[in-house]
Amino acid sequence: MLTILQFTEILSVYFLATVLLPAFVLHEKIKGRRLMERFFICLLTGNFYIMNLVFLLQLLRISNPVTLIIGTVVPAFFAWVRLGGHHPVSVIKSIWQDLQRMSRGYLGIRTVVYRVCSFAGRRVKRGVRAALRAFRKRWLEWLFLFSIWIALASFYGIQLLEGYGYTASDTPVHLYWINGLSRNDIFIDGVYPFGYHCVIYYIHAVFQIDSYVLMRVFSFVQTIMLHMVLLGFIRLCCRSRYIAYAVTGIYVLGNFLQPSTYLRFFAVLPQEYGMIFILPSIYFAFQFFQERRKEVRRGERKRESLVCLALFAMSFSMTLAVHFYDT
């Protein structure tokens, strides 16, 4: 039960930091795209920002929970204001006026909490309604998706409960590096592609989850995300909706590759985490050429092709940042 609760917490905070927060910030810019493409954009943006934020603060030797939270919330707020079509100066002026009214006693704390909760509640309701509409519209696809999740849980999740350990000899070495980040010593045991360590350290520092717990449980989180990326990649490339679910299901249940291929998914290893960024690199590379061809034919300025090129560069760079074998 403890492992299940820990996994649920870690999956939730990882999804919040790498998918939901970027989705909130980028909503106005990506709302017209396909669902899986939006998922790719948010996943890449979230991971890319976390890795580089930790890199920057570590090299400046000022990384701690406070600077990480400020470095996350403040830029996310300004990006949301800017991309949402709001004027930053007017928003800051409004917030400053409310703070002055609070200091003078004209505005109560309960009123402020009510406003914030109402705003968050409207966003949550809007998201729930959108999810329900998507479920009613494509209930069969959701059923296939739930089936894949159940298959992953039965194959990898049960091992997580039964093993209750690191399951790989080099996991303590990576834990040593990650613990070094807590002391702002990024190169405590030599230079290594630190992208993966940055993500684990960020979750540990911001959400106060012990790093040794993360190194035991996070394998299932990254395995789920890897299979979701595989599903999304095939879904974007194929005309049929259901081929992607069939192929992903076969990959989960087939067990037709070398045994070590599947055994490595049971451990928290950087190389497997870096695999998340391989297929998005390929997808956005092809999208760049496709969109550039359209722009040339129509005589348009480079816009969408540059977005695809930037997303390709982000994804490709993260394969290097996490593990060069993936690159």
Side-chain angles (χ1 to χ4, degrees), residues 153-218:
S154 63
F155 192 65
Y156 296 104
I158 292 177
Q159 173 64 28
L160 186 71
L161 298 175
E162 294 176 347
Y164 203 81
Y166 289 153
T167 69
S169 59
D170 47 352
T171 302
V173 179
H174 294 295
L175 182 59
Y176 179 62
W177 264 312
I178 292 165
N179 288 336
L181 295 176
S182 297
R183 298 186 293 273
N184 282 282
D185 191 350
I186 191 171
F187 302 124
I188 193 171
D189 195 24
V191 178
Y192 189 88
F194 269 83
Y196 183 60
H197 303 111
C198 291
V199 174
I200 299 294
Y201 163 73
Y202 179 91
I203 297 174
H204 157 67
V206 173
F207 299 100
Q208 296 298 297
I209 301 174
D210 292 330
S211 55
Y212 72 89
V213 175
L214 286 162
M215 294 304 287
R216 182 176 60 82
V217 179
F218 198 77

Side-chain angles (χ1 to χ4, degrees), residues 269-281:
L269 298 171
Q271 186 175 338
E272 274 57 44
Y273 186 77
M275 290 174 67
I276 293 174
F277 309 110
I278 297 174
L279 294 178
S281 298

Side-chain angles (χ1 to χ4, degrees), residues 44-283:
L44 295 179
T45 303
N47 279 277
F48 184 80
Y49 187 81
I50 287 173
M51 290 180 194
N52 286 280
L53 174 64
V54 174
F55 271 129
L56 176 63
L57 296 179
Q58 283 288 327
L59 294 174
L60 294 175
R61 296 187 177 275
I62 58 171
S63 181
N64 58 63
V66 175
T67 56
L68 288 169
I69 292 172
I70 293 174
T72 301
V73 175
V74 174
F77 172 75
F78 280 101
W80 172 74
V81 170
R82 186 63 179 169
L83 296 176
H86 309 288
H87 199 282
V89 176
S90 62
V91 174
I92 295 173
K93 185 177 180 180
S94 176
I95 294 174
W96 177 249
Q97 289 175 348
D98 286 342
L99 290 174
Q100 286 182 322
R101 292 174 63 194
M102 287 177 60
S103 65
R104 295 170 183 171
Y106 298 137
L107 184 64
I109 296 296
R110 287 184 295 179
T111 304
V112 175
V113 172
Y114 174 77
R115 289 180 180 178
V116 173
C117 292
S118 297
F119 175 78
R122 289 194 299 270
R123 291 283 177 170
V124 170
K125 288 180 181 178
R126 187 183 304 174
V128 170
R129 285 196 296 267
L132 290 174
R133 286 196 301 269
F135 182 80
R136 287 196 298 266
K137 186 177 180 180
R138 296 181 177 177
W139 62 271
L140 187 57
E141 287 190 70
W142 282 101
L143 184 62
F144 287 142
L145 182 60
F146 291 144
S147 300
I148 291 174
W149 288 344
I150 292 172
L152 287 170
S154 63
F155 192 65
Y156 296 104
I158 292 177
Q159 173 64 28
L160 186 71
L161 298 175
E162 294 176 347
Y164 203 81
Y166 289 153
T167 69
S169 59
D170 47 352
T171 302
V173 179
H174 294 295
L175 182 59
Y176 179 62
W177 264 312
I178 292 165
N179 288 336
L181 295 176
S182 297
R183 298 186 293 273
N184 282 282
D185 191 350
I186 191 171
F187 302 124
I188 193 171
D189 195 24
V191 178
Y192 189 88
F194 269 83
Y196 183 60
H197 303 111
C198 291
V199 174
I200 299 294
Y201 163 73
Y202 179 91
I203 297 174
H204 157 67
V206 173
F207 299 100
Q208 296 298 297
I209 301 174
D210 292 330
S211 55
Y212 72 89
V213 175
L214 286 162
M215 294 304 287
R216 182 176 60 82
V217 179
F218 198 77
S219 60
F220 192 28
V221 176
Q222 67 185 43
T223 299
I224 289 176
M225 298 306 293
L226 172 61
H227 285 80
M228 290 303 100
V229 167
L230 173 64
L231 174 67
F233 177 78
I234 303 173
R235 181 71 179 81
L236 288 168
C237 293
C238 295
R239 293 183 178 180
S240 172
R241 296 180 181 179
Y242 306 108
I243 289 178
Y245 301 97
V247 171
T248 307
I250 291 171
Y251 182 69
V252 175
L253 300 174
N255 198 21
F256 53 86
L257 298 176
Q258 184 182 3
S260 61
T261 300
Y262 297 93
L263 288 174
R264 289 184 61 90
F265 287 135
F266 291 115
V268 182
L269 298 171
Q271 186 175 338
E272 274 57 44
Y273 186 77
M275 290 174 67
I276 293 174
F277 309 110
I278 297 174
L279 294 178
S281 298
I282 298 172
Y283 173 75

Side-chain angles (χ1 to χ4, degrees), residues 27-44:
H27 172 70
E28 293 298 325
K29 292 296 181 182
I30 65 175
K31 61 182 180 181
R33 297 177 181 270
R34 300 169 66 181
L35 176 62
M36 289 300 181
E37 196 171 72
R38 296 202 302 268
F39 170 66
F40 276 8
I41 293 172
C42 294
L43 183 66
L44 295 179

